[in-house]
Amino acid sequence: MEFFKQASQFGDLYVGIGSDATYLEYKHRKPMFPQEERLFMVSNIKFVKEAYINEGSGVIDFIPTLDIVQPDIFVVNAEGGSDSKRQLCEERGIQYIELERTPAEGLQARSSSSLKAALSTQQENSESKKHKGIPTRLDLAGTWIDQPYVSVHQPGWAITISLEPTFEVRDRCGLSTSTRNMIKKIWPVKLPKMDPEMLARLIFCFENNPERDGGHISGAQDALGICIPGLCRHYYNNSFWPEKVESTNDEMTLRFLEEHLVMIPMEPRKPGCSVVEGKDITPVKVKALADAAEACWNAILKKDLEAFAAAYKASFMAQTAMFPGMIAPTYVGHPEEDNSYIAEAIAHYSAMDDVLAWKMPGAGGGGYLALVVKDAKQFMEQCPEAFELHIRRE
């Protein structure tokens, strides 16, 4: 702030901000705040006339910004000064000025590194007092593709987000609680710090003990969805483990999801609930599922709400076309059970203007409705039974 104040004394101040790509090139890690946020913050400092994200690369990534602004004076702090910058200014007839990094009167000098160290220490202290516990996962699209009897007809992606357990994670509700409970047998408090995909492999093998009763193999998307932070997709091709895994922790992408996803509690799956009775799996239906998941991923990365909602809804429709028991389950040994509450809940919330798309997590049959809404905060004010989601960052 003090640097901007001093620099503005030379005239209208235009600021060039290093892009995320340039930052990653030099620091070998992502910045604490993405370039859009840094641009917003700098643009709103009173000493700054206008700010730009530098579109060049390397030490002199600001050349495209110079071409736009065409300044008379180039100001840089002494730590960021260089002969190459000085020479560039001389060639363009721009006065080159270096300012020493000095704090405002009465304030302590700080660097970004010292601030990050302080924040890290504070976070570690907070974590030691109260850990958030074992994460859970929400499947966004492509559910069932992780079973070989589905992907044998068409390979495709399953998309998941890893969630902080900031709400009561109820059993038999489609949030991978069986896998989560299995994890607690090994690590009761928190996940160990290790490669997330390798951790997911260990959990998958532990959960699917070949000697256990029943012989059913749980889908790998549960373990991967829990263990890999942020937004993740995994590609299945007639096998239990995916051929490839991709993920992103881009802050703006995760915020986009948090701003448009809410959960509605319903009744848990009842005893004897079967969602696979009456299944109808065909190549055409599996392709519709795979296509919807691909469209969903692309829409999320573009932060296109309309396209995200359409793909999210299409994925759920493809799921229920293959497994109608997700919405209308049968109850083995309990034929008198009424399953109409699921359809009634979907009809109730899907009719709301703010609701753009809906699905049931996991295999369905009860548990929750996961809704795509126009604005999560506003929706929760209107529907207090809804709760927001917090995506795990690390």
Side-chain angles (χ1 to χ4, degrees):
M1 185 73 74
E2 179 65 14
F3 171 73
F4 289 150
K5 179 180 178 181
Q6 294 178 16
S8 68
Q9 295 175 1
F10 296 97
D12 289 339
L13 179 60
Y14 298 83
V15 178
I17 299 169
S19 67
D20 288 351
T22 300
Y23 189 99
L24 182 62
E25 178 183 354
Y26 279 91
K27 301 283 189 178
H28 304 293
R29 54 183 169 82
K30 293 181 178 180
M32 179 180 293
F33 300 102
Q35 60 189 31
E36 292 83 3
E37 287 192 34
R38 290 183 283 122
L39 179 66
F40 175 79
M41 289 186 284
V42 172
S43 298
N44 284 277
I45 294 174
K46 68 178 181 178
F47 305 110
V48 177
K49 175 88 172 173
E50 195 166 354
Y52 305 85
I53 296 173
N54 293 331
E55 296 183 357
S57 60
V59 178
I60 52 175
D61 63 336
F62 53 85
I63 290 181
T65 305
L66 285 184
D67 293 336
I68 295 171
V69 177
Q70 299 183 349
D72 299 311
I73 302 172
F74 182 87
V75 183
V76 63
N77 66 55
E79 295 178 8
S82 67
D83 290 338
S84 59
K85 293 177 182 179
R86 186 187 299 274
Q87 181 179 349
L88 176 65
C89 289
E90 289 177 356
E91 293 173 354
R92 292 185 170 225
I94 301 171
Q95 184 181 353
Y96 178 86
I97 296 176
E98 287 187 7
L99 297 178
E100 293 295 330
R101 184 189 293 273
T102 55
E105 185 177 354
L107 297 181
Q108 180 182 351
R110 296 186 185 275
S111 66
S112 60
S113 297
S114 66
L115 287 172
K116 290 173 184 175
L119 287 171
S120 177
T121 300
Q122 184 180 24
Q123 183 177 10
E124 288 177 4
N125 291 338
S126 175
E127 290 283 334
S128 64
K129 292 179 182 178
K130 182 179 179 182
H131 193 271
K132 293 176 180 177
I134 304 298
T136 186
R137 71 95 185 91
L138 173 64
D139 53 308
L140 296 182
T143 309
W144 293 107
I145 200 75
D146 59 336
Q147 292 292 345
Y149 66 82
V150 176
S151 66
V152 66
H153 297 287
Q154 169 79 36
W157 298 94
I159 304 176
T160 55
I161 49 177
S162 181
L163 298 177
E164 298 284 6
T166 54
F167 55 94
E168 180 186 3
V169 184
R170 302 176 300 157
D171 288 341
R172 298 178 60 81
C173 287
L175 293 181
S176 191
T177 48
S178 59
T179 301
R180 191 168 179 263
N181 291 335
M182 193 67 67
I183 292 171
K184 289 181 179 180
K185 293 181 180 180
I186 320 172
W187 302 289
V189 179
K190 62 179 180 179
L191 294 175
K193 290 187 176 181
M194 61 181 293
D195 177 73
E197 188 173 344
M198 180 57 68
L199 177 61
R201 283 181 178 270
L202 292 175
I203 293 169
F204 177 75
C205 291
F206 181 75
E207 183 176 15
N208 292 294
N209 183 341
E211 296 181 354
R212 74 175 184 171
D213 294 335
H216 170 74
I217 297 181
S218 299
Q221 63 120 342
D222 292 344
L224 287 162
I226 288 174
C227 294
I228 298 181
L231 173 68
C232 180
R233 68 173 181 171
H234 4 115
Y235 189 81
Y236 298 89
N237 186 6
N238 194 24
S239 60
F240 287 105
W241 193 258
E243 291 183 352
K244 49 190 173 181
V245 178
E246 299 176 3
S247 64
T248 178
N249 256 324
D250 175 68
E251 182 62 24
M252 300 308 290
T253 300
L254 302 188
R255 288 191 186 185
F256 166 78
L257 290 170
E258 291 173 335
E259 290 168 358
H260 298 292
L261 285 172
V262 298
M263 293 263 275
I264 304 288
M266 296 195 303
E267 294 182 38
R269 284 194 297 270
K270 298 177 182 179
C273 174
S274 174
V275 301
V276 296
E277 294 293 324
K279 65 180 182 294
D280 182 23
I281 303 170
T282 67
V284 172
K285 292 181 178 180
V286 179
K287 185 177 186 305
L289 180 72
D291 290 347
E294 180 75 24
C296 190
W297 178 266
N298 293 332
I300 293 171
L301 296 188
K302 293 177 182 177
K303 306 175 191 62
D304 185 333
L305 179 57
E306 184 177 348
F308 169 46
Y312 187 88
K313 186 188 297 185
S315 178
F316 186 54
M317 291 177 64
Q319 290 173 242
T320 55
M322 292 187 294
F323 297 88
M326 292 183 68
I327 294 176
T330 57
Y331 300 97
V332 179
H334 300 271
E336 74 284 356
E337 285 284 3
D338 181 15
N339 60 25
S340 61
Y341 73 95
I342 297 175
E344 290 171 0
I346 292 176
H348 173 72
Y349 288 100
S350 64
M352 294 183 178
D353 291 338
D354 291 340
V355 175
L356 304 177
W358 52 90
K359 74 181 298 290
M360 288 196 296
Y368 297 94
L369 279 182
L371 308 178
V372 177
V373 297
K374 295 177 182 177
D375 186 295
K377 296 291 186 185
Q378 291 183 9
F379 184 84
M380 288 185 293
E381 290 177 0
Q382 299 170 9
C383 299
E385 70 275 19
F387 59 88
E388 62 186 340
L389 304 179
H390 296 274
I391 301 174
R392 185 166 68 100
R393 265 58 172 182
E394 59 182 27

